Amino acid sequence: MTTVADILNFMEALAPRELKMDWDNVGLNCGRRNAPVRKILVALDPFEHVCREAVQWGADLLVTHHPLIFRPLPMVTDDAAITRGLMELVRHDISHICAHTNLDCAPGGVNDALAAALGLENVEPLGAYGGMMRCGYVPEQTLERFLGFVKEKLHCDGLRYCDGGKPVRKVAVGGGSCSDGLYDTILAGCDTFVTSDVKYNGFWDAKEQGLSLIDAGHFHTENPVVSVLASKIAAQFPEVEVKISETHTDCMKYY
């Protein structure tokens, strides 16, 4: 019988703990290592509605990118969504494992999945912290055409961007909050950077440096890794039923 510990060991082989940032909380966030696992739900976030979906589907384990417990919890009550989700998992003996910044950096992780989704070729690590981001090449094209491609491939409702004034050829990607890596992309000679959570000044900094900056949203730049993760788990543990969350989508909308 496959156990939580088996899945945890596999996850930490894919995304070793030593790759995580010091402030991060990865691995087993709740549950029992020796608990049997027959059904695994995979999602980007362990939000309350995802935890409820895990309960309703009869999952034994929830695997996500983002942690369930990110900061110390002052109390565990039904007053907050995050602790209600935790209580649901504990009540139904469902364990939770996450791979966060270690999966951002790991080969085949978040940023390789994003690069693949956008069709980048000759992909290489980029960035000061463990080469978290990636850069690669696309056929030379206008920014307008590339914007349409990004929106289609990442299933975005909209994009925020600034035009650096150059054709798109060498592209950097950083899933989630990687806008701090803007100058790494410039130093690497990239003309375009796809990331999310960009602040106002970030767009001006990029434009003044001749870099086209595309904010495709936190959810949409990280979500490609979910199907990759589900496929890898399913291939390693064929006796376990693995399902991608059907309820988890981006809550951010465009009017």
Side-chain angles (χ1 to χ4, degrees), residues 55-77:
V55 171
Q56 291 165 4
W57 185 55
D60 304 297
L61 175 64
L62 174 61
V63 173
T64 67
H65 174 46
H66 292 131
L68 175 65
I69 302 172
F70 191 55
R71 297 180 180 86
L73 299 173
M75 60 192 71
V76 180
T77 70

Side-chain angles (χ1 to χ4, degrees), residues 78-121:
D78 64 357
D79 294 328
I82 185 63
T83 47
R84 286 197 299 269
L86 174 58
M87 290 169 68
E88 280 289 291
L89 296 184
V90 172
R91 185 181 297 120
H92 292 89
D93 196 22
I94 300 172
S95 300
H96 171 258
I97 291 172
C98 76
H100 191 208
T101 50
N102 50 333
L103 190 61
D104 288 327
C105 297
V110 169
N111 288 298
D112 280 320
L114 177 56
L118 296 182
L120 271 61
E121 297 180 347

